[in-house]
Structure formats: structure tokens, C-alpha cells
């Protein structure tokens, strides 16, 4: 018997992209599957955009509550135990659910199945194996998760799909430092991950990371070493639009309440937790120093026993000694585009040398001379 899947598509003011997402989900679904579009109080033409699909989807309109609340509502409303997620600006490949369904059917102990994905920019650029770009981990999945087997051990490959490996293991300890999981490529067994809410509604950026890590804590995870979805780049607001300060603040919240409160994890992987905690405090302190918030930065440095010497020296300076305006100017001259490339109008080394010289002349030397 084929295992049915509920595809949950949360959306908010994405009328321009939503039809593409729905069409891709319909192409990937089998008889018995369902698509649940959860509208987070959109104020654009979302309802008009989905009108051609209304007889083939379920549509839930909610008051605006944020991404996590929308995902939770969709997962709660799903009629099937297997739940897949598709962001409304992204796209499934046609055989995505076929591949993942086959692994789950043959591996009843597996709580969640993931895969790699590709990126397509609005201008037509394509990047493959995008997960390695997201995580910065270029290792093979045999090293990351353990020994793999050919997909054909589970089922025949769909027509046109190249051979790929399937890896199964404990992903939970690895998620403490890197987000190897994304909802776009996840199918989860709802009956194995406990009652909701599943996505933490106090986090705006790391809600997905924490939820998928909680799922991974419930049992083995399978990883299909192939691309099953398209992540689309585009102009306009995105979930990834967040300051570094907010990013690291949310990460610390997630880190401390999930892995930091997990006695079994700490007993086996305490070193990984402490290393992740150190890096998070250090990275946030660095951002705070660039913003001239030296007192706040001192708190992060104290939390990790002082941190690097250069950071401690910078934190000892008065706020006026931090060239905040020059740093902001440097950022504006070195900005990533929607295609993932970086546009620089001034060579980075020359720019940083200019900033350092100005800082030395205008802030540091006068301060030292007054000691």
C-alpha cells in the first residue's frame, strides 16, 4: 500500500510565486496525497492566484502570526501521517515524493527523510548541491552520517533519475553546529515526533532549524544524496533577511534550550555543545563590536571566558572608538546580490586599510594619548 503524504505550503504575500509552488507539488503528488496551502493573513492577490487550483488543494486562511505558527497550523491540519513542507517561493522536483516515500516505506524506524537541493536565481543562474554552500561542510555523506546503500535497494529509480545513495544515521548531534536539514526537502512522520506545536513560535529565523533538530532527536534520519527541490532566489523580503545580531541571539536561544537542556546529549557530546556555544558568543560579540555596542559585547566575551585577545582589546575601548559609520559604509560597498554573488566597488584589502587608518587617526590614538 502506498503511504500517503500531506504537502504543507505556508505562504504570506507570495501571490507571484505561489502558483509555481502549487503546480510543482501537484506534479510530485500521487493519488491519495493532499496539498494544504496555509495563508498567513496575506494582503496581496493570493486568493486570486490560487483560484485555478482551489479544487485540488485545501486552503486555510489564518490571522498573520508568522512562519512558525503557519507551519504548525498546516502540520496540525494534515490528514496524513507523512508531512512534507514546501515554501511558497520554492519548487519540488517531479520525483521528490516518489523517492522519499520509497525510503520511508522500507524503513519504518526512520523518523524523517531529507535530501540535497539546487538553487535557481531570478536571473537564471543555477547552483547545484546547495546544501554544502549553506552548511560549509564539503564532506561526503558517508563521512557525515555513515555508510550508505544504493537507492535501488529500496525501489527502482524513477525514469531519468541518476543513481544515488541513501544514508541513515543519527543527525541530531550534528545539527548543534550546522543546519543540515531544511523543510524544503523534509518529509517527517508526524506520529513519531510528538504533539505540536512543533515549530517554536518565538523564533523567526531559526524556527525551522530547532523544529527539524527536535524531529531528528526522535530517531534515525535518512538522507538521499541527490537534489529533489529547487530553492529560488528573488528580490523582495525573504526569511533570510535578518541582522547578524538577531541571527546569533536566536541561535543561542535554540542552542541553550534544546541541546543545552539535553542531559543525554551533553553526556555524550558536551564538547560539541561547548564549541558551538563559544562560536555563537564570539560571533555575536564581533557583530556587537562592529555596531559600537561594547558593553553588550563584553557580556558575550565574559560568557566564554574572555574570547580572543583582539576582541577583548576592542571591547575595552569606549564606544566612540569603534568606527561604526565606516563599517556600515564598507558593508554597503560589499553586498551580496540575489544571485549569491558579491558586488564590491572597492577592493576589500584597500577598503579595510582605509578604515583601519581612519580608525587609528580619529579614535584610537587620541584615546591612548589621554590615558
Amino acid at each position: 500500500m502506498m503511504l500517503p503524504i500531506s504537502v504543507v505550503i505556508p505562504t504570506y504575500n507570495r501571490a507571484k510565486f505561489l502558483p509555481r509552488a502549487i503546480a510543482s507539488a501537484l506534479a510530485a503528488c500521487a493519488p491519495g496525497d493532499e496539498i494544504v496551502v496555509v495563508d498567513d493573513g496575506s494582503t496581496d492577490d493570493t486568493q486570486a492566484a490560487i483560484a485555478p487550483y482551489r479544487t485540488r488543494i485545501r486552503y486555510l486562511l489564518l490571522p498573520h502570526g508568522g512562519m512558525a505558527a503557519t507551519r504548525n497550523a498546516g502540520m496540525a491540519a494534515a490528514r496524513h501521517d507523512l508531512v512534507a513542507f514546501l515554501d511558497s517561493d520554492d519548487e519540488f522536483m517531479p520525483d521528490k515524493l516518489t523517492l522519499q516515500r520509497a525510503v520511508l516505506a522500507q524503513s519504518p524506524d526512520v523518523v524523517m527523510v531529507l535530501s540535497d537541493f539546487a538553487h535557481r536565481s531570478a536571473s537564471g543562474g543555477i547552483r547545484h548541491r546547495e546544501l554544502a554552500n549553506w552548511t560549509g561542510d564539503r564532506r561526503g555523506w558517508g563521512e557525515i552520517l555513515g555508510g550508505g546503500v544504493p537507492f535501488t535497494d529500496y525501489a527502482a529509480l524513477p525514469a531519468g533519475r541518476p543513481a544515488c545513495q541513501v544514508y541513515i544515521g543519527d543527525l541530531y548531534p550534528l545539527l548543534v553546529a550546522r543546519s543540515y536539514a531544511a523543510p524544503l526537502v523534509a518529509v517527517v512522520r508526524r506520529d513519531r515526533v510528538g504533539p505540536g506545536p512543533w515549530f517554536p513560535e518565538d523564533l523567526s529565523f531559526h524556527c525551522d532549524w530547532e523544529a527539524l533538530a527536535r524531529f531528528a532527536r526522535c530517531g534515525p534520519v535518512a538522507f538521499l544524496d541527490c537534489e529533489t527541490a529547487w530553492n529560488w532566489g528573488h528580490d523582495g523580503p525573504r526569511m533570510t533577511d535578518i541582522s547578524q545580531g538577531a541571527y546569533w541571539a536566536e541561535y543561542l536561544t535554540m542552542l541553550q534550550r534544546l541541546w543545552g537542556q539535553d542531559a543525554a546529549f551533553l553526556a555524550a557530546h558536551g564538547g560539541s555543545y561547548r564549541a558551538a556555544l563559544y562560536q555563537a558568543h564570539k560571533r555575536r560579540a564581533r557583530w556587537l563590536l562592529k555596531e559600537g555596542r561594547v558593553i553588550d559585547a563584553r557580556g558575550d566575551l565574559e560568557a566564554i571566558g574572555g574570547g580572543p585577545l583582539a576582541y577583548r582589546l576592542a571591547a575595552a575601548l569606549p564606544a566612540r572608538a569603534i568606527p561604526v559609520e565606516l563599517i556600515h559604509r564598507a558593508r554597503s560597498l560589499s553586498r551580496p546580490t540575489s544571485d549569491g554573488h558579491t558586488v564590491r566597488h572597492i577592493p576589500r584589502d584597500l577598503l579595510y586599510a582605509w578604515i583601519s587608518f581612519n580608525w587609528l587617526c580619529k579614535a584610537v590614538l587620541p584615546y591612548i594619548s589621554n590615558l
Side-chain angles (χ1 to χ4, degrees):
M1 179 178 176
M2 181 176 291
L3 300 176
I5 296 176
S6 295
V7 179
V8 174
I9 306 179
T11 189
Y12 177 65
N13 287 345
R14 290 279 172 78
K16 178 180 177 180
F17 307 113
L18 182 56
R20 180 182 67 202
I22 293 174
S24 77
L26 286 169
C29 282
D33 293 341
E34 67 166 353
I35 298 171
V36 185
V37 175
V38 189
D39 187 344
D40 187 26
S42 293
T43 57
D44 63 357
D45 296 327
T46 289
Q47 294 200 38
I50 66 170
Y53 303 99
R54 287 298 291 267
T55 61
R56 304 176 69 185
I57 65 171
R58 294 170 58 202
Y59 175 68
L60 305 179
L61 177 60
L62 306 178
H64 184 56
M67 174 61 78
T70 308
R71 289 203 197 282
N72 284 329
M75 194 166 174
R79 292 171 177 158
H80 303 313
D81 177 52
L82 299 184
V83 180
F85 300 95
L86 173 59
D87 289 344
S88 56
D89 54 349
D90 291 330
E91 184 179 3
F92 280 172
M93 294 180 182
D95 58 2
K96 176 187 189 293
L97 300 182
T98 298
L99 294 166
Q100 294 179 303
R101 193 193 323 263
V103 173
L104 288 164
Q106 298 297 323
S107 306
D109 59 325
V110 166
V111 171
M112 177 169 61
V113 60
L114 305 167
S115 75
D116 211 327
F117 56 95
H119 176 85
R120 193 189 300 270
S121 72
S123 62
I126 291 176
R127 295 196 303 268
H128 290 288
R129 297 293 184 172
E130 184 69 355
L131 188 59
N133 294 328
W134 280 33
T135 64
D137 191 345
R138 304 289 175 178
R139 295 179 298 165
W141 276 90
E143 186 177 354
I144 294 172
L145 202 56
V149 299
F151 175 83
T152 49
D153 284 8
Y154 295 91
L157 285 163
R161 169 63 67 169
C164 63
Q165 296 285 108
V166 180
Y167 301 88
I168 297 178
D170 184 7
L171 189 64
Y172 174 64
L174 302 176
L175 289 170
V176 70
R178 290 185 173 96
S179 181
Y180 293 97
L184 169 64
V185 291
V187 179
V188 61
R189 295 187 196 270
R190 187 176 54 182
D191 68 341
R192 293 285 302 279
V193 299
W198 300 272
F199 292 79
E201 297 181 14
D202 62 330
L203 302 182
S204 60
F205 184 82
H206 288 312
C207 62
D208 293 344
W209 190 342
E210 180 171 330
L212 295 175
R214 289 185 182 276
F215 297 163
R217 186 168 63 177
C218 296
V221 171
F223 184 86
L224 272 162
D225 196 11
C226 62
E227 299 167 346
T228 67
W230 290 100
N231 167 249
W232 277 82
H234 57 80
D235 295 327
R238 293 181 62 92
M239 195 175 154
T240 49
D241 296 335
I242 186 172
S243 75
Q244 284 294 295
Y247 177 96
W248 291 109
E250 284 201 5
Y251 176 76
L252 281 164
T253 296
M254 173 186 71
L255 183 66
Q256 291 167 330
R257 75 178 173 199
L258 182 54
W259 293 277
Q261 300 298 317
D262 187 334
F265 170 81
L266 292 174
H269 306 283
S272 297
Y273 172 75
R274 289 187 293 273
L277 196 64
Y278 180 92
Q279 287 298 323
H281 278 296
K282 187 181 78 170
R283 294 290 294 274
R284 187 168 66 171
R286 178 182 178 183
W287 180 84
L288 288 167
L289 288 169
K290 289 180 177 180
E291 295 296 307
R293 295 168 56 182
V294 294
I295 295 176
D296 293 333
R298 289 169 195 163
D300 276 299
L301 295 174
E302 288 171 4
I304 56 175
L309 176 60
Y311 289 33
R312 299 199 303 272
L313 291 174
L317 295 170
R320 69 175 185 274
I322 307 297
V324 175
E325 182 179 348
L326 293 176
I327 291 170
H328 287 176
R329 191 176 304 171
R331 288 175 181 165
S332 70
L333 294 172
S334 181
R335 181 184 297 117
T337 68
S338 61
D339 293 349
H341 302 294
T342 298
V343 176
R344 295 190 182 96
H345 302 286
I346 301 175
R348 176 183 286 178
D349 292 343
L350 179 60
L351 186 63
Y352 286 176
W354 176 68
I355 290 173
S356 299
F357 177 76
N358 276 271
W359 185 20
L360 182 66
C361 292
K362 296 181 179 180
V364 180
L365 291 180
Y367 172 68
I368 292 175
S369 64
N370 291 330
L371 293 178

